[in-house]
């Protein structure tokens, strides 16, 4: 059994800026250190000295056209996630990750409502389909509500944070350095914080989906 | 090792395997088709390229090359009746034309079944496969028409990020469809000695190994090597006594207007291949392929063939 060890970490901090606004919002823009392009589906998590709210949610990771949708899901501890199958074919969802190991063999569209699981250990859970090897998705189980993923413009935002000092951790599925230092920020009452972080990305871990003349087997 | 396998993998064994496999599939497919979802798939490809020694000629003047264009369409059903075991049943139709050698223009209709088992979960898990196929090749030069039966076993594993390898063995049995008599008295051979006239009747044992490397951007480079212990069917003009004395069969080659002969010769071939596959989107790719064939026709000598092709591969 392969250990699904996510290589994560971040490289360096670029800049820290603050401006006066009404609510305490932290916005982190994640940038590819090599290209300068924004990185979607990166996750930021803030941890501070004060107690942080943990509000479990119900989430869905669907399977559409032989892909997991969405590819990255961020939930706080104790959340429940279902894995419906919206395709007309069978899928076989599994995870080897230490944060959550499970195996949901061979189910179809009409079976999908019953397959779900509670995620009560913080960490990254990598899920795959044992029939379609290119299908890959990540569930980021955060210690608290203070975690978010970046959008298409590379920006992840957290709102209504309690004032105080926080360390910011960044995770991405292709992140190079798993032991990168944390960035510390100070959230002050009535002040928004904007942060820009650069990370180095490693090779794409998804297996190629496109057919080839040497791989003409159905998958 | 390969010799031992070759000795074991006789046509009789192959025939028995085909029978067993066909029985299993005939039994299992109806059973499972009602209880599990099947995934219908349609794959297509368009190709163009050059084959250097299409005639498999030994002498330089017999080595005829040609451009070729063609396409292939396959339709199949994928059944997953057990957690880690899948069955694939498919049929295909191919058409290839060779403008310089019309006699080699070919239509192929075929069917295949295979069963594949994964030893666990995940893309790094080793998998084995057992398959059988039956193809009918119909050529413009009808003497080469044949049925081609094949049974294959395979092992494949992704062993590192981007890297995977495969091993396999196959037995191919060719059966000619349009055997024509040859008037040996009109050939400059030893009077009274004749040969069978069915050069498309033979079998090959093939042993394959391949390595793939997948780049981060999805480009895929595949290297393959294949050792084939069996037969080769070269064409020759004028009639060659050396070929005739070692040939298992002789026929008039219908691909040419003038007198040219087909010989069935025992041979060992080593085939090398390199393929670069560039994805166009998630369901299509453009493949550039080079194949080199080193043919050792027993008692005759070594010669070669190569093929260069460009293909568009699409999964509908």
């Amino acid at each position: 059994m392969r250990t699904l060890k996510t290589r994560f970490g971040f490289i360096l901090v670029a800049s820290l800026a603050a401006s006066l606004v009404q609510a305490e919002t932290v916005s982190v823009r994640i940038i590819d250190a090599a290209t300068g392009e924004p990185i979607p589906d990166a996750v930021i998590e803030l941890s501070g000295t004060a107690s942080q709210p943990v509000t479990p949610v119900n989430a869905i990771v669907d399977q559409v056209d032989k892909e997991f949708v969405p590819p990255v899901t961020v939930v706080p501890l104790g959340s429940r996630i279902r894995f419906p199958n919206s395709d007309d074919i069978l899928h076989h969802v599994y995870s080897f990750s230490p944060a959550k190991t499970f195996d949901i063999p061979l189910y179809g569209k009409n079976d999908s409502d019953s397959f779900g699981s509670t995620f009560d250990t913080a960490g990254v859970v990598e899920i795959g389909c044992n029939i379609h090897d290119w299908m890959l998705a990540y569930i980021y189980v955060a210690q608290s509500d203070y975690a978010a993923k970046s959008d298409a413009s590379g920006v992840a935002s957290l709102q209504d944070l309690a004032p105080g000092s926080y360390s910011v951790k960044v995770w991405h599925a292709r992140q190079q350095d798993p032991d990168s230092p944390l960035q510390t920020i100070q959230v002050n009452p009535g002040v928004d914080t904007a942060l820009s972080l650069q990370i180095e990305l490693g090779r794409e871990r998804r297996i190629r989906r496109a057919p080839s003349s040497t791989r003409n087997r159905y998958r | 090792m390969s010799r031992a396998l070759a000795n074991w993998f006789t046509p009789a064994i192959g025939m028995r395997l085909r029978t067993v496999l066909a029985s299993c599939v005939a039994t299992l497919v109806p059973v499972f088709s009602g209880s599990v979802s099947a995934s219908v798939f349609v794959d297509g490809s368009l190709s163009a390229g050059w084959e250097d020694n299409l005639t498999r000629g030994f002498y330089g003047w017999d080595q005829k090359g040609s451009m070729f264009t063609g396409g292939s369409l396959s339709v199949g059903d994928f059944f997953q009746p057990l957690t880690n075991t899948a069955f694939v049943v498919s049929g295909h139709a191919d058409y290839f034309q060779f403008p310089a050698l019309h006699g080699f223009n070919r239509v192929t209709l075929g069917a295949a079944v295979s069963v594949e088992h994964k030893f666990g979960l995940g893309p790094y898990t080793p998998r084995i496969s057992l398959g059988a196929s039956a193809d009918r090749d119909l050529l413009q030069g009808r003497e080469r028409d044949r049925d081609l039966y094949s049974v294959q076993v395979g092992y494949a594993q992704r062993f590192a990020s981007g890297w995977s390898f495969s091993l396999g063995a196959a037995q191919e049995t060719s059966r000619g469809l349009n055997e024509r008599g040859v008037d040996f008295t009109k050939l400059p051979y030893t009077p009274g000695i004749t040969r069978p006239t069915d050069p498309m009747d033979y079998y090959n044992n093939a042993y394959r190994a391949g390595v793939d490397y997948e780049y981060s951007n999805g480009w895929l480079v595949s290297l393959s090597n294949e050792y084939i212990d069996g037969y080769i069917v070269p064409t020759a003009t004028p009639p060659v006594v050396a070929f005739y004395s070692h040939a298992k069969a002789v026929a008039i080659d219908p691909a040419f207007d003038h007198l040219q002969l087909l010989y069935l010769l025992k041979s060992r071939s080593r085939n090398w291949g390199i393929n670069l596959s560039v994805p166009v989107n998630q369901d299509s790719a453009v493949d550039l392929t080079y194949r080199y064939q080193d043919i050792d026709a027993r008692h005759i000598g070594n010669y070669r063939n190569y093929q260069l092709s460009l293909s568009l591969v699409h999964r509908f």
Side-chain angles (χ1 to χ4, degrees), chain B residues 81-295:
Chain B
L82 304 170
T83 302
N84 292 322
T85 303
F87 289 90
V88 179
V89 181
S90 63
H92 71 97
D94 309 338
Y95 175 69
F96 280 88
Q97 62 176 5
F98 299 85
L101 290 164
H102 294 293
F104 288 83
N105 291 352
R106 184 183 83 237
V107 172
T108 301
L109 301 172
V113 294
S114 65
V115 56
E116 182 179 283
H117 179 74
K118 272 177 103 171
F119 291 97
L121 298 173
Y124 289 81
T125 303
R127 60 191 87 203
I128 56 170
S129 62
L130 173 64
S133 62
D135 292 330
R136 172 156 290 188
D137 286 339
L138 301 171
L139 282 85
Q140 193 164 322
R142 298 190 57 206
E143 193 67 31
R144 284 189 172 85
D145 287 359
R146 65 173 178 174
D147 285 335
L148 183 66
Y149 305 100
S150 176
V151 289
Q152 311 103 26
V153 293
Y155 176 91
Q157 186 171 7
R158 176 175 292 268
F159 60 93
S161 186
W163 288 96
S164 56
F165 76 95
S166 62
L167 300 171
Q171 189 194 55
E172 296 172 345
T173 304
S174 173
R175 289 280 172 264
L177 297 175
N178 294 312
E179 182 181 346
R180 284 190 302 175
V182 176
D183 184 357
F184 287 96
T185 62
K186 293 185 176 175
L187 299 176
Y189 297 134
T190 307
I193 297 179
T194 62
R195 292 281 183 259
T197 55
D198 47 4
M200 301 312 289
D201 284 3
Y202 62 87
Y203 70 91
N204 287 328
N205 292 324
Y207 310 95
R208 298 166 180 145
V211 178
D212 287 357
Y213 182 74
E214 193 175 309
Y215 287 88
S216 190
N217 61 4
W219 288 32
L220 177 71
V221 175
S222 305
L223 299 172
S224 64
N225 178 246
E226 184 177 41
Y227 173 77
I228 300 176
D229 186 8
Y231 291 87
I232 192 82
V233 186
T235 188
T237 184
V240 181
V241 174
F243 284 15
Y244 186 77
S245 60
H246 295 105
K248 301 290 182 187
V250 177
I252 305 292
D253 191 336
F256 299 91
D257 297 331
H258 55 276
L259 177 64
Q260 185 134 351
L261 294 178
L262 279 176
Y263 299 87
L264 176 62
L265 297 175
K266 193 93 176 83
S267 73
R268 292 173 186 159
S269 300
R270 284 178 176 79
N271 300 340
W272 302 86
I274 182 167
N275 183 73
L276 171 65
S277 181
V278 178
V280 177
N281 55 44
Q282 65 178 13
D283 294 316
S284 304
V286 172
D287 284 21
L288 181 64
T289 308
Y290 177 80
R291 292 194 185 95
Y292 180 84
Q293 187 176 16
D294 179 20
I295 303 163

Side-chain angles (χ1 to χ4, degrees), chain A residues 7-82:
Chain A
R7 291 163 39 182
F8 65 98
F10 67 93
I11 290 300
L12 59 90
V13 174
S15 67
L16 178 64
S19 62
L20 284 174
V21 289
Q22 292 180 340
E24 296 81 8
T25 298
V26 172
S27 298
V28 181
R29 184 175 171 82
I30 315 295
I31 294 169
D32 185 336
T35 65
E37 296 292 316
I39 300 176
D41 288 330
V43 177
I44 60 161
E45 182 174 12
L46 274 60
S47 52
T49 50
S51 66
Q52 297 173 200
V54 182
T55 314
V57 298
N58 290 317
I60 285 176
V61 177
D62 202 352
Q63 294 155 90
V64 180
D65 188 23
K66 299 174 194 166
E67 301 287 352
F68 287 113
V69 180
V72 176
T73 301
V74 182
V75 294
L77 269 176
S79 296
R80 181 169 175 78
I81 299 181
R82 289 193 302 114

Side-chain angles (χ1 to χ4, degrees), chain B residues 40-51:
Chain B
V40 175
F41 61 92
V42 180
D43 290 346
S45 67
L46 294 172
S47 303
W50 166 262
E51 182 148 4

